[in-house]
Structures are given as structure tokens and as C-alpha cells.
Amino acid sequence: MIISALGALPLSTLNVAAMQISVSEGLKVASYFAIGVALVEICYVRLSLIGMDWVRKQKKLLQWLEWIAFFIVVALAAGSFYAAAQPQQTKNVLLQNNTHRFLLGVIMSALNPVQIPFWFGWSTVLFTKKILVPQSNFYNIYIIGIGTGTLIGLAVFIIGGRLLMDKLNASQDIVNYVIGGVFSVTAIIQLVKILTYKGLGNAVEHAGEKN
């Protein structure tokens, strides 16, 4: 739970999107989004635990998903800047749809599988130290802790972002510019990782070699 909560704190597509939904639509709606994100994460982890060898061989697939995630971040950044430039637009055009926020969280989390190498590496370490044992009851407790930690980490952005914007009394245009800037920085960091061969595929391969 602690590892998961801390792992959810660095800027990413999901926590920034959760913050934006919180600011524009409220805490309850953002919570639905966070639950969708956490559900997919624990599914990814559970599958990786029972198929580590298969996951390690999917380097090409992970690289494609990484590029998809990058373009999603770019689109979210562009959408935030567009919303800021349009007086009648109150939120990111990509988030201005009727998709239930729980389902949106599921979809965005599924297309942004940065949690795979993260938990692949940690699971490898825990297996090596015999803290994590290949038994169903251990796996179930493990993923419950992961899901809880993810919700705690996202709550920092959901509640903290909302409180910060209320405290600053910032207009929606300023909020959109700030969030657009955060998405842009996130996209640049992700692109650098891809181009310098430090992306998901290599991370998984490296974790596999440690095992």
C-alpha cells in the first residue's frame, strides 16, 4: 500500500486527469475515475503475477502502448489549452463527454500501462526476498494493498488539487492553462524516456534480468 501510494505521486496522465476532473466536476465524480484506474491496475498486477514470463516477452506490445499513452497525454494537453483559449469552454474537450468517469478511468488506465514495469520490478524484488510467496492468499492481500495505495495517491491530487484551486480562487481559464502545462511536461518526460530506450519494454526486460 505504501509503495503504491508513493508510486502514484509522480506526475502522470492519470493523476493529473483525476485532478482536472475533480476541479471541473467535483470530488465524487473524480472518485469514480480513481476507482476505475485502481481496478485496472490491480488486474494488471494480478495477471503479471501469474504470467511473468509471458509479460517479459511482450516488449513490442508495451512499446506500442507507450506511444499510445504519449499521444493521449499530448491530446489532453492540447485539449486543456484549447479550453483555456475558449471563453465558453469550461474544461478539457477530451473530458467533455458523457462517458461515465468510472469507465473513463478504466479505459485510460488500460491504455497507460506504466504500472506493469513498476510492479513487475517490485514483485521480482519481493519474490527474491521471499516477502511475497506464490500463493493465492498472498496475491490477494498484495493486490488489495496496491489498490488501496493507488486510491490514496490519487486522492492527494483529487482533494489537494481542488483545495489548491479553491484557495487560489483561480478562474477556470487559469486552471486549464496550468493543467495543460502539467500535461505538456508529462508528455515531454515520457517522450524522452521512449527515445532514450528507457520505456516500458526495456524496464520490464531489465526487471526480468534481475529476477
Side-chain angles (χ1 to χ4, degrees):
M1 182 179 69
I2 295 172
I3 294 169
S4 182
L6 294 176
L9 294 180
L11 292 179
S12 70
T13 308
L14 299 175
N15 52 34
V16 178
M19 181 177 68
Q20 188 168 24
I21 292 172
S22 173
V23 171
S24 59
E25 301 179 34
L27 298 177
K28 183 178 179 181
V29 178
S31 297
Y32 291 142
F33 177 84
I35 293 171
V37 170
L39 180 61
V40 170
E41 179 167 10
I42 63 177
C43 288
Y44 270 143
V45 176
R46 191 66 176 85
L47 290 173
S48 69
L49 287 173
I50 62 178
M52 283 189 139
D53 290 335
W54 182 86
V55 172
R56 191 179 301 123
K57 296 175 183 177
Q58 306 310 309
K59 184 176 179 180
K60 205 70 176 178
L61 174 61
L62 293 175
Q63 287 175 337
W64 275 106
L65 287 174
E66 195 169 28
W67 277 108
I68 292 172
F70 165 72
F71 286 116
I72 289 175
V73 181
V74 172
L76 286 168
S80 294
F81 287 130
Y82 177 81
Q86 302 295 321
Q88 73 280 7
Q89 195 82 24
T90 59
K91 58 184 175 181
N92 194 311
V93 291
L94 293 182
L95 299 179
Q96 193 164 2
N97 54 67
N98 295 324
T99 304
H100 194 282
R101 288 336 187 198
F102 170 78
L103 181 58
L104 184 64
V106 168
I107 294 171
M108 289 185 66
S109 184
L111 294 175
N112 187 46
V114 293
Q115 58 266 38
I116 294 178
F118 179 83
W119 287 113
F120 195 91
W122 272 108
S123 297
T124 299
V125 171
L126 295 175
F127 275 128
T128 301
K129 294 183 177 296
K130 301 187 185 303
I131 296 173
L132 182 61
V133 179
Q135 296 177 7
S136 294
N137 58 333
F138 276 82
Y139 288 171
N140 292 336
I141 295 172
Y142 186 51
I143 64 174
I144 289 172
I146 289 171
T148 304
T150 296
L151 291 175
I152 292 172
L154 290 175
V156 172
F157 285 83
I158 291 172
I159 299 173
R162 185 61 182 262
L163 290 176
L164 179 61
M165 294 306 170
D166 289 345
K167 185 73 173 178
L168 295 176
N169 196 25
S171 69
Q172 191 62 46
D173 290 347
I174 294 176
V175 171
N176 285 326
Y177 275 124
V178 170
I179 293 178
V182 173
F183 275 130
S184 298
V185 172
T186 304
I188 292 171
I189 293 172
Q190 190 163 343
L191 181 61
V192 169
K193 287 182 178 179
I194 294 173
L195 297 180
T196 55
Y197 303 101
K198 295 181 180 179
L200 299 181
N202 286 285
V204 168
E205 186 177 39
H206 184 63
E209 288 171 356
K210 284 184 179 180
N211 189 32

